[in-house]
Amino acid sequence: MRTFVCVDGFNLNYGALKGKPWRWLDPVALLKKVLQPQHEIVALKYFTARVSGTPGDPSKPQRQDVYLRAMQRFRPEVEVYFGHFLSHAVRMPLARPEGNRCTVEVVRTEEKGSDVNLAVHLLNDGWPDLCDCAVVVSNDSDIAEAMRLAR
């Protein structure tokens, strides 16, 4: 059974793997163990965005690049697609205001575009009969309609 896998990389890394010992997860190996033997992973599409370094962790972009290059080098079925990463200062309310201080300035980081890219690829791969099965690795409900349509 020709199987395409779509992985929401940010969702996987920050939702399930952050702080865990599986930072160098091989998603192809994982899916081969989870899926039944008749599934042939034809493509694993990994959707992410290039991260920015932070004052506390300036080497984040280099580590991400090494991981993505390693996946592509050792797993020819892996294709990487990029959204974009935004980082900007915003004022947020304090949970417990102190005196006259009700807000604080924080750096908000957001990944944009990966969920839309994943949804578009899911539909474009399904319509021309390129796969018999699609597996989506995400916890993002924004792609639910694309999954419903692909099914």
Side-chain angles (χ1 to χ4, degrees), residues 7-14 23-25 27 46-54 57-73 78 80-86 110-112 114:
V7 177
D8 180 340
F10 255 79
N11 193 277
L12 176 64
N13 285 307
Y14 290 97
R23 293 184 69 122
W24 285 88
L25 177 71
Y46 192 89
F47 299 88
T48 191
R50 296 243 182 238
V51 297
S52 301
T54 61
D57 191 358
S59 65
K60 260 185 190 180
Q62 290 80 16
R63 286 196 315 275
Q64 181 193 40
D65 190 55
V66 168
Y67 175 66
L68 295 175
R69 284 188 292 122
M71 265 201 311
Q72 291 177 295
R73 168 73 170 89
V78 171
V80 179
Y81 297 90
F82 292 101
H84 57 278
F85 189 72
L86 301 175
E110 299 176 87
E111 176 278 326
K112 292 290 191 182
S114 291

Side-chain angles (χ1 to χ4, degrees), residues 13-31:
N13 285 307
Y14 290 97
L17 301 178
K18 188 172 183 175
K20 308 274 189 325
W22 307 297
R23 293 184 69 122
W24 285 88
L25 177 71
D26 178 347
V28 175
L30 173 66
L31 271 294

Side-chain angles (χ1 to χ4, degrees), residues 28-129:
V28 175
L30 173 66
L31 271 294
K32 282 183 177 181
K33 285 187 183 276
V34 170
L35 296 173
Q36 296 173 345
Q38 70 265 26
H39 288 272
E40 174 197 356
I41 298 176
V42 177
L44 185 141
K45 296 186 175 192
Y46 192 89
F47 299 88
T48 191
R50 296 243 182 238
V51 297
S52 301
T54 61
D57 191 358
S59 65
K60 260 185 190 180
Q62 290 80 16
R63 286 196 315 275
Q64 181 193 40
D65 190 55
V66 168
Y67 175 66
L68 295 175
R69 284 188 292 122
M71 265 201 311
Q72 291 177 295
R73 168 73 170 89
F74 294 103
R75 293 295 190 179
E77 59 271 72
V78 171
E79 303 167 17
V80 179
Y81 297 90
F82 292 101
H84 57 278
F85 189 72
L86 301 175
S87 181
H88 55 281
V90 296
R91 292 205 71 77
M92 300 289 293
L94 286 167
R96 293 182 195 91
E98 300 170 0
N100 291 338
R101 188 174 162 168
C102 297
T103 63
V104 65
E105 190 170 285
V106 298
V107 176
R108 171 174 279 173
T109 56
E110 299 176 87
E111 176 278 326
K112 292 290 191 182
S114 291
D115 54 352
V116 173
N117 291 343
L118 188 154
V120 169
H121 278 262
L122 180 63
L123 292 171
N124 280 340
D125 293 339
W127 285 328
D129 193 34

